[in-house]
Amino acid sequence: YAMLLSLIFLIVLVAAIVGFVFRHEIKTNFESNLNLALRDYNVTADRHSEAVDTIQRTLHCCGVQNYSDWERTEYFSQRGIPRSCCKSQNDCSEEDLKDPNKAKLKVFVDGCFFLVTSTMESKMSVVAGISFGIACFQLIGIILSCCLSRYITNNQYEMV
C-alpha cells in the first residue's frame, strides 16, 4: 500500500513540476487552439463551438484578443459575430452583429485569452493549496502504512 501511495505521490509531483515549467507553452498552445476554434466555428453543435460559446458567455468576452478577431472568420461573413458575444441577448440583432461598428456597442469588446489566463492564474493558489493538502495526507498514509508493515513484521511469531 505504501508503494502504491508513493507511486501516486511521485506522479502528482512530476505533473505539478512539468505544469509549472511549461506554463508558457501551455498558454501559447491554448491561444493557438482558441484561434483554431474561432476559425472553425460553426452553428452545428460541435464541442469546440460549444466551448467557445461557453467561454464567451461565462467570462463576458469576445474573440481571442478582442471582438474584431471574428471579422477574419468564415462565420462572420455568413452571420456576423456569434450571439454568445452579446451583452444582452434581447438587444442583439443579426444586422448589428454583421456590422463591426454597430457590434462594438452591443458585444463584449475584451478578448477571451487574457481573461481565461488571468482567471486560471488567480485560481492557481487555491489549486496549489488543495494539492499540498492532498500530498500531506498521502505522506501521512505512506508513513502509517510503513509503520504498520514494520509492526506486523516484528510481531509475526506472536500472531495466532
Side-chain angles (χ1 to χ4, degrees):
Y1 182 70
M3 296 295 273
L4 180 66
L5 277 179
S6 299
L7 180 67
I8 293 170
F9 178 77
L10 288 175
I11 290 170
V12 170
L13 183 66
V14 167
I17 291 170
V18 167
F20 182 75
V21 170
F22 294 111
R23 67 186 180 277
H24 299 295
E25 287 82 359
I26 293 170
K27 279 185 181 181
T28 305
N29 208 2
F30 174 72
E31 184 177 16
S32 65
N33 284 331
L34 192 56
N35 277 317
L36 283 173
L38 255 66
R39 189 192 72 202
D40 296 337
Y41 184 88
N42 56 27
V43 285
T44 60
D46 69 329
R47 314 182 280 133
H48 301 290
S49 300
E50 288 177 16
V52 169
D53 285 337
T54 302
I55 289 171
Q56 290 181 152
R57 239 183 256 112
T58 305
L59 294 179
H60 303 291
C61 59
C62 189
V64 179
Q65 300 301 328
N66 58 34
Y67 77 100
S68 63
D69 293 336
W70 283 104
E71 294 176 34
R72 296 185 296 273
T73 64
E74 186 178 322
Y75 181 83
F76 181 81
S77 61
Q78 296 170 358
R79 296 191 172 192
I81 297 172
R83 294 189 68 78
S84 59
C85 285
C86 292
K87 293 177 185 175
S88 170
Q89 294 296 322
N90 301 331
D91 192 29
C92 257
S93 67
E94 196 169 318
E95 296 81 36
D96 293 340
L97 295 174
K98 285 184 177 181
D99 182 11
N101 295 325
K102 288 181 184 176
K104 183 177 183 178
L105 303 171
K106 309 250 179 179
V107 300
F108 304 114
V109 292
D110 297 327
C112 295
F113 176 71
F114 176 73
L115 287 173
V116 168
T117 54
S118 63
T119 301
M120 285 180 7
E121 287 172 358
S122 69
K123 305 292 184 204
M124 280 305 200
S125 60
V126 174
V127 171
I130 291 170
S131 300
F132 181 72
I134 291 171
C136 287
F137 279 115
Q138 283 181 324
L139 288 176
I140 290 170
I142 292 168
I143 292 168
L144 289 176
S145 64
C146 287
C147 290
L148 179 62
S149 173
R150 182 176 299 132
Y151 178 76
I152 290 171
T153 305
N154 289 341
N155 296 322
Q156 69 183 358
Y157 295 111
E158 295 176 15
M159 294 191 324
V160 179

